[in-house]
Amino acid sequence: MIVSGLMLKNWRNFRSVDVRFTERVFVIGPNASGKSNLLDVLRFLRDIAKQGGGLQWALTDRGGLSKVRCLAARREPDVEIEVELSNGAGAAWRYGIGITQQVRGYRQPFLRYERVWRGEKLLVDRPEAGDKKDELRLTQTYLEQISANAAFREVARFFESIRYLHLVPQLLRHPQAFQGPGVPEDPYGRNFLEMVAKTPEKTRRSRLRRIESALRQAVPQLKNLTDTKDEAGVPHLEAIYEHWRPNAGRQREDQFSDGTLRLIGLFWSLLEGESPLLLEEPELSLHSSIIGKLPALFYRLQRKRKRQIFISTHSWDLLSEKGIGGEEVVTLTPNPEGAKVEQASAVEEVRKLLDGGLSVADAALPRTAPAGLHQLDLVE
């Protein structure tokens, strides 16, 4: 399945959203327009559905309901999310929740409603009779309860499978320097090496061989990428880096460049599973010639695995690939009443430019530049 549609009310930057998605989604917009916040909707549903998660935990992890509610919300303060899931033959499922603040007692966030459709059939419509007798039931979704989601467990497992990556090379190199408990997902890479080490050996070796083959095209001097452990049992990545001396030097991840580490993390994530993948600015630290090859790589993997990929980006090099269609691009336009979200193909000016043969980089990306930006100047 893929996420084929998203409707929001009062979520973070967004007062109202109704947008369609394809198997490959590029999210573009100015700084602070809400690209990360749009992807976070899917992470939020994942955090509700995953083991050890739940509605209250997902909200607390984001600072509470007041932190995710749109600042432009006035007389309609409830946060509403509805997701459509499709399997290639039309809408297979729809899942929707409305969240509000309890007005008495502990003032916990609670459900105004929770609804699940399979096709056109409504399976869940809360609050139900039991909820009205015991309002505390509305502090939890059925999505997070194994005893309650049997009729739509496919949806719960789909949300739980969503993966997010925004690897920070410094965290991967020096995980001990960053305090705080580890998290199971760890999208920023602090526990990336442990995750690699825990992967079954046959799968791990196969992935590292494939990553090395792809990586050598970008870093020709690197070969023999493998995983290892030091005397204390701490996992590492290791490779031989060829240079002018007869015997090439062996290096570990703390000596790899930022771009090399980000490529390794990106390639590993692309090879790991078939669930939706959320990529935050994958172009960072990479050479423009490498960035330009990423859309085709995503496409080839999708064609084989039918995996949906969401990519937030500012990169002209990434979006200059002529194979990217306007329906694959979601543009964000900030305004005082909340950011506007629409497919690039729905913007008449952009559609005409695309029809004329321009790339998305030329047709849509200039619209995301801050208005009136001429130069940055700190001199009075």
Side-chain angles (χ1 to χ4, degrees):
M1 290 194 299
I2 67 167
V3 179
S4 55
L6 175 67
M7 287 177 282
L8 301 174
K9 286 187 178 180
N10 298 333
W11 173 266
R12 295 192 182 268
N13 299 59
F14 311 107
R15 183 71 179 83
S16 179
V17 171
D18 186 355
V19 65
R20 309 296 299 176
F21 295 135
T22 58
E23 288 185 357
R24 187 174 60 170
V25 182
F26 296 88
V27 182
I28 66 174
N31 292 113
S33 61
K35 296 184 297 296
S36 297
N37 290 338
L38 190 68
L39 297 185
D40 191 49
V41 176
L42 301 178
R43 294 179 66 198
F44 178 71
L45 292 171
R46 188 278 319 277
D47 289 348
I48 294 175
K50 73 180 183 181
Q51 186 176 3
L55 177 65
Q56 300 302 318
W57 182 89
L59 285 169
T60 300
D61 191 53
R62 289 162 174 77
L65 183 62
S66 63
K67 297 297 184 181
V68 301
R69 181 188 288 123
C70 180
L71 294 177
R74 296 182 178 85
R75 297 183 180 181
E76 299 176 353
D78 296 354
V79 173
E80 298 183 30
I81 302 169
E82 185 175 309
V83 175
E84 180 185 281
L85 307 179
S86 299
N87 56 11
W93 297 93
R94 276 190 295 149
Y95 177 83
I97 52 174
I99 311 166
T100 192
Q101 191 77 40
Q102 198 171 19
V103 296
R104 58 183 182 276
Y106 294 104
R107 295 187 60 80
Q108 289 179 288
F110 75 103
L111 293 170
R112 178 59 59 86
Y113 66 83
E114 182 180 26
R115 300 180 187 125
V116 185
W117 293 263
R118 182 167 192 168
E120 297 300 320
K121 183 178 181 180
L122 183 62
L123 300 181
V124 174
D125 189 7
R126 303 180 68 191
E128 300 174 331
D131 300 324
K132 294 174 182 178
K133 292 179 181 178
D134 182 3
E135 286 192 346
L136 280 178
R137 287 164 48 112
L138 292 173
T139 61
Q140 295 183 327
T141 64
Y142 280 0
L143 184 69
E144 68 201 73
Q145 301 176 51
I146 294 177
S147 60
N149 67 20
F152 63 101
R153 194 161 295 156
E154 183 180 355
V155 174
R157 288 174 175 168
F158 177 85
F159 288 146
E160 187 177 8
S161 74
I162 292 170
R163 294 292 177 264
Y164 169 78
L165 178 73
H166 186 42
L167 190 144
V168 179
Q170 290 78 6
L171 282 174
L172 195 155
R173 288 196 194 94
H174 309 292
Q176 69 284 353
F178 297 86
Q179 301 300 316
V183 294
E185 183 197 14
D186 185 39
Y188 306 112
R190 192 180 72 171
N191 299 322
F192 177 75
L193 297 178
E194 293 180 17
M195 181 183 69
V196 171
K198 290 178 180 178
T199 303
E201 182 176 3
K202 185 177 180 180
T203 302
R204 182 172 71 248
R205 300 297 182 192
S206 174
R207 286 181 186 169
L208 288 175
R209 281 196 300 270
R210 295 179 67 181
I211 290 172
E212 180 192 341
S213 177
L215 199 59
R216 290 209 67 180
Q217 299 176 48
V219 190
Q221 300 93 336
L222 187 147
K223 68 177 184 179
N224 295 351
L225 178 66
T226 187
D227 67 301
T228 185
K229 291 185 178 180
D230 61 22
E231 297 79 3
V234 177
H236 295 278
L237 288 176
E238 194 172 74
I240 290 176
Y241 192 84
E242 297 177 318
H243 47 71
W244 61 271
R245 291 175 177 168
N247 298 317
R250 189 171 292 277
Q251 296 186 349
R252 285 184 174 175
E253 73 283 342
D254 60 344
Q255 296 173 290
F256 292 174
S257 71
D258 284 7
T260 299
L261 288 175
R262 286 186 64 86
L263 275 175
I264 291 172
L266 174 62
F267 291 161
W268 183 276
S269 297
L270 290 170
L271 292 172
E272 188 177 38
E274 299 179 355
S275 58
L277 178 61
L278 316 178
L279 297 175
E280 192 94 44
E281 298 183 4
E283 70 272 9
L284 295 179
S285 305
L286 300 181
H287 190 277
S288 60
S289 61
I290 298 172
I291 296 169
K293 304 297 184 185
L294 293 181
L297 173 63
F298 299 153
Y299 174 77
R300 289 195 299 271
L301 286 170
Q302 286 176 312
R303 186 173 57 181
K304 183 177 180 180
R305 298 189 177 193
K306 303 298 182 183
R307 185 182 195 184
Q308 189 175 30
I309 303 178
F310 292 79
I311 307 107
S312 72
T313 183
H314 294 283
S315 173
W316 187 93
D317 297 297
L318 188 70
L319 297 170
S320 61
E321 165 62 51
K322 290 291 185 70
I324 300 175
E327 71 283 354
E328 296 181 286
V329 179
V330 173
T331 66
L332 276 58
T333 307
N335 63 65
E337 293 300 313
K340 183 179 181 180
V341 181
E342 56 191 338
Q343 284 182 309
S345 58
V347 180
E348 184 178 3
E349 177 186 344
V350 173
R351 185 173 62 253
K352 288 181 178 179
L353 292 173
L354 292 173
D355 291 342
L358 294 184
S359 69
V360 168
D362 293 315
L365 199 57
R367 294 171 57 88
T368 69
L373 178 66
H374 301 292
Q375 66 179 21
L376 296 178
D377 197 349
L378 294 176
V379 181
E380 295 182 356

